[in-house]
């Protein structure tokens, strides 16, 4: 049973990584959600591309995250802007980092079924996939601030427990 649960967790991690890549690709290329969903599901997720193995991903979770980030971007971006250092708005953040922050904020704001600490940790891990510097720490700090706004009750309960 644990093995099945671990596989589901790793497939969710794969979905998060794929969503960040898809959001980045959409921003750079101008593709829409449906085109990105189709391309990633067929050509990227669970495939080897240019010698890089892309992990399997939970398809329904991938679809929900990608559609959700795009549909809720007007609600997500102001929350990230508030969490970022003053004078450094989201539009000034590098594109991959922006995709990580948006996907993480979407989960924190719109997926209460995912524990806040787990979501933050997952996106810090995604940041480590792309960056060796201070960026994972930035992701942790910004998503923690977003979580405190979106899930203050859950985080307060976690501190007491």
């Amino acid at each position: 049973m644990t093995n099945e649960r671990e596989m589901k967790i790793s497939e969710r991690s794969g979905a998060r990584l794929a969503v960040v890549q898809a959001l980045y690709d959409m921003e750079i290329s101008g593709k829409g959600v449906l085109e990105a969903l189709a391309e990633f599901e067929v050509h990227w997720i669970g495939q080897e591309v240019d010698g890089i193995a892309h992990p399997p991903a939970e398809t329904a979770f991938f679809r929900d995250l990608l559609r959700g980030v795009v549909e809720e971007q007007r609600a997500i971006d102001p929350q990230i802007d508030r969490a970022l250092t003053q004078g450094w708005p989201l539009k000034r953040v590098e594109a991959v980092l922006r995709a990580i922050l948006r996907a993480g904020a979407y989960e924190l704001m719109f997926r209460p079924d995912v524990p806040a600490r787990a979501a933050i940790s997952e996106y810090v891990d995604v940041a480590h996939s792309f960056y060796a510097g201070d960026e994972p720490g930035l992701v942790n700090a910004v998503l923690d601030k977003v979580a405190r706004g979106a899930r203050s009750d859950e985080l307060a309960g976690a501190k007491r427990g």
Side-chain angles (χ1 to χ4, degrees):
M1 200 67 143
T2 305
N3 202 8
E4 188 177 307
R5 185 172 185 278
E6 285 172 10
M7 196 164 114
K8 185 174 175 69
I9 289 169
S10 76
E11 286 190 354
R12 283 214 160 175
S13 296
R16 289 179 177 103
L17 182 62
V19 161
V20 167
Q21 292 168 320
L23 288 168
Y24 172 81
D25 187 49
M26 288 169 62
E27 184 170 330
I28 299 305
S29 69
K31 287 178 190 150
V33 173
L34 295 177
E35 189 179 350
L37 283 171
E39 182 180 319
F40 271 77
E41 287 178 28
V42 173
H43 299 293
W44 291 89
I45 295 173
Q47 304 294 320
E48 186 173 313
V49 181
D50 297 329
I52 298 169
H54 295 270
E58 183 184 326
T59 307
F61 191 62
F62 169 74
R63 288 176 181 166
D64 176 72
L65 293 179
L66 189 61
R67 282 191 181 118
V69 170
V70 172
E71 288 170 9
E72 301 295 348
Q73 191 171 329
R74 283 197 179 114
I76 292 167
D77 284 2
Q79 296 303 315
I80 297 170
D81 270 333
R82 278 193 214 70
L84 284 164
T85 303
Q86 196 168 2
W88 199 267
L90 183 60
K91 66 184 177 218
R92 286 185 62 191
V93 172
E94 187 269 327
V96 173
L97 198 52
R98 194 166 41 244
I100 294 169
L101 293 173
R102 282 177 172 151
Y106 170 75
E107 275 196 65
L108 292 167
M109 294 168 66
F110 297 99
R111 291 293 306 245
D113 59 310
V114 178
R117 292 275 171 235
I120 293 167
S121 176
E122 284 284 325
Y123 286 101
V124 169
D125 288 348
V126 169
H128 278 293
S129 299
F130 294 100
Y131 301 102
D134 296 334
E135 292 87 352
L138 174 76
V139 168
N140 187 44
V142 169
L143 293 182
D144 185 68
K145 285 182 185 174
V146 171
R148 288 179 194 285
R151 303 217 198 156
S152 56
D153 292 348
E154 178 186 337
L155 294 175
K159 279 185 181 161
R160 283 194 295 270

